[in-house]
Amino acid sequence: MRILITGASGLLGLNLALETTHRHTVFGAVNQNVLKTNAFTVIQTNLLAPGAVERLLERTQPDWIIHCAALANLDACEADPLLAKQLNTDLPHTLASHVARSGARLLHVSTDSVFDGLRGNYTEEDIPSPVGVYTRTKLEGELAVTQADPRAIIARVNLFGWSLTGNRSLAEFFFNNLSIGRPVMGFTDVIFCPLLANDMADIFIKMFEMNLSGLYHVVSSEFLSKNEFGVRLAQRFNLDSSLINPTSVVQSGLKAFRSPNLNLRSDKLAKALGETLPRLSTGLDKLYTLYQQGYPQMLRNLGSS
Ligand SMILES: NC(=O)c1ccc[n+]([C@@H]2O[C@H](COP(=O)([O-])OP(=O)(O)OC[C@H]3O[C@@H](n4cnc5c(N)ncnc54)[C@H](OP(=O)(O)O)[C@@H]3O)[C@@H](O)[C@H]2O)c1
């Protein structure tokens, strides 16, 4: 298949591109971070420029599109709500409108944090209640995609992994700090279900192959606090978990609101796939194997000039 991945320099998009390129023809669209790789075709384009989406689709002629490009930094969204709307709502709408007129299939990546996290245990049936610019614009993006292309898959995700910059994910935050013996905070009252970005590739491909459409939670079948995540990562990498100070997010000084309980149920997808989604230990084992194989450094080299 010909797969177009937008946001291919980002945490999710880059790992998806590298995982899928062995069996498919992959085109990775990037904006500012031009990748040096022959593993897949890299196309530099600012998707907000007039006509950029049409040109990209015309050039790549994809069967499947995985739309990862976004403004995914919460504080950046609060600082520039217009850009957040353009990237998280308007761009997915434009893309979905064009895809709907072609024979291609679209998987639009959304976020677990469309929920305010006051309750937890959310299914796809629950009404979202976004708090803040990032989550509001992402939810509006979901609605715009569904309206423009009802066959699209909307995947609400939470993820961790190795990234181009080496500091994009929570796993890297804990790994980088603990590796140099620096103490960090671990939030005890923020719950999530993170899935390894690399494992998401297989799942997304299966969703396309099974011709799914509509809304799915694509998260780990296990929920835990961010503090627990840090401790489990430290144990897997033989790092000192006592450097992680269990802390309430309220005392953290972080600017943008964080939903406290993002325990999302993935039963709908598990039923469709006929298998439960990976637990954290599976993802941490693979994260560690990738580390031993020099994968983080390999990613870093893709970005160096
Ligand atoms: N990271 C998480 O924990 C998390 C959690 C839940 C949901 N999500 C969702 O997962 C998706 C991927 O997130 P991520 O963490 O991989 O994001 P990321 O690392 O911040 O990457 C964002 C990507 O978007 C691209 N981009 C930004 N502006 C663009 C523009 N004008 N034109 C073209 N491309 C542009 C960036 O390109 P350049 O870098 O080349 O400029 C980059 O490749 C997003 O939809 C996000 O909302 C992420």
Side-chain angles (χ1 to χ4, degrees):
M1 289 289 178
R2 293 168 72 84
I3 308 182
L4 168 61
I5 299 174
T6 68
S9 44
L11 171 61
L12 179 57
L14 180 54
N15 287 297
L16 292 181
L18 291 170
E19 291 287 341
T20 51
T21 196
H22 307 296
R23 290 180 44 219
H24 301 276
T25 303
V26 174
F27 302 89
V30 303
N31 185 26
Q32 285 171 348
N33 284 300
V34 182
L35 304 169
K36 290 190 308 174
T37 180
N38 295 321
F40 55 90
T41 304
V42 178
I43 300 172
Q44 183 182 20
T45 174
N46 173 5
L47 288 171
L48 295 183
V53 170
E54 295 94 309
R55 283 194 297 277
L56 183 63
L57 292 173
E58 183 58 36
R59 177 171 169 190
T60 56
Q61 297 288 320
D63 301 298
W64 296 338
I65 300 137
I66 305 177
H67 182 51
C68 301
L71 190 61
N73 179 302
L74 271 62
D75 293 329
C77 288
E78 293 294 330
D80 194 342
L82 177 60
L83 183 63
K85 178 180 176 297
Q86 288 171 336
L87 274 167
N88 297 340
T89 307
D90 302 344
L91 172 60
H93 182 248
T94 305
L95 180 61
S97 308
H98 286 285
V99 173
R101 291 197 284 273
S102 72
R105 299 293 318 276
L106 171 66
L107 185 151
H108 170 65
V109 179
S110 188
T111 174
D112 56 348
S113 55
V114 292
F115 296 109
D116 61 15
L118 298 181
R119 197 199 79 197
N121 204 29
Y122 296 108
T123 72
E124 289 82 351
E125 302 292 310
D126 286 311
I127 311 285
S129 39
V131 182
V133 176
Y134 170 65
T135 56
R136 269 201 301 275
T137 55
K138 288 296 288 184
L139 177 62
E140 281 158 17
E142 287 186 2
L143 300 173
V145 168
T146 308
Q147 187 222 338
D149 181 11
R151 293 193 325 141
I153 299 169
I154 312 283
R156 287 185 185 147
V157 305
N158 192 291
L159 62 134
F160 66 99
W162 302 111
S163 69
L164 185 70
T165 52
N167 56 15
R168 181 70 188 85
S169 87
L170 185 67
E172 293 172 314
F173 166 80
F174 281 117
F175 174 80
N176 293 342
N177 284 295
L178 300 182
S179 296
I180 55 168
R182 186 186 290 151
V184 289
M185 292 187 282
F187 300 141
T188 50
D189 46 4
V190 180
I191 308 290
F192 68 149
C193 312
L195 201 58
L196 183 68
N198 305 69
D199 285 341
M200 241 174 239
D202 252 9
I203 296 169
F204 286 174
I205 295 296
K206 282 184 194 155
M207 293 174 82
F208 280 125
E209 286 172 345
M210 298 180 81
N211 215 11
L212 301 184
S213 57
L215 178 62
Y216 287 90
H217 292 172
V218 187
V219 293
S220 168
S221 53
E222 184 178 0
F223 65 91
L224 75 175
S225 73
K226 297 209 165 174
N227 178 64
E228 239 178 300
F229 177 84
V231 170
R232 296 267 298 273
L233 181 138
Q235 288 165 346
R236 189 65 195 82
F237 282 76
N238 295 317
L239 296 167
D240 182 0
S241 63
S242 71
L243 290 167
I244 305 172
N245 300 314
T247 314
S248 166
V249 68
V250 180
Q251 291 153 7
S252 68
L254 286 176
K255 258 202 237 153
F257 171 86
R258 262 78 178 167
S259 303
N261 188 344
L262 290 177
N263 168 19
L264 267 57
R265 299 264 299 272
S266 54
D267 315 35
K268 181 182 173 188
L269 182 56
K271 195 168 168 210
L273 296 179
E275 58 190 77
T276 49
L277 279 94
R279 292 180 65 77
L280 182 68
S281 52
T282 311
L284 284 179
D285 283 349
K286 185 152 178 194
L287 188 80
Y288 185 63
T289 303
L290 289 168
Y291 169 68
Q292 287 180 311
Q293 292 169 344
Y295 186 81
Q297 190 54 50
M298 186 275 283
L299 293 191
R300 221 73 58 78
N301 293 342
L302 300 182
S304 54
S305 48

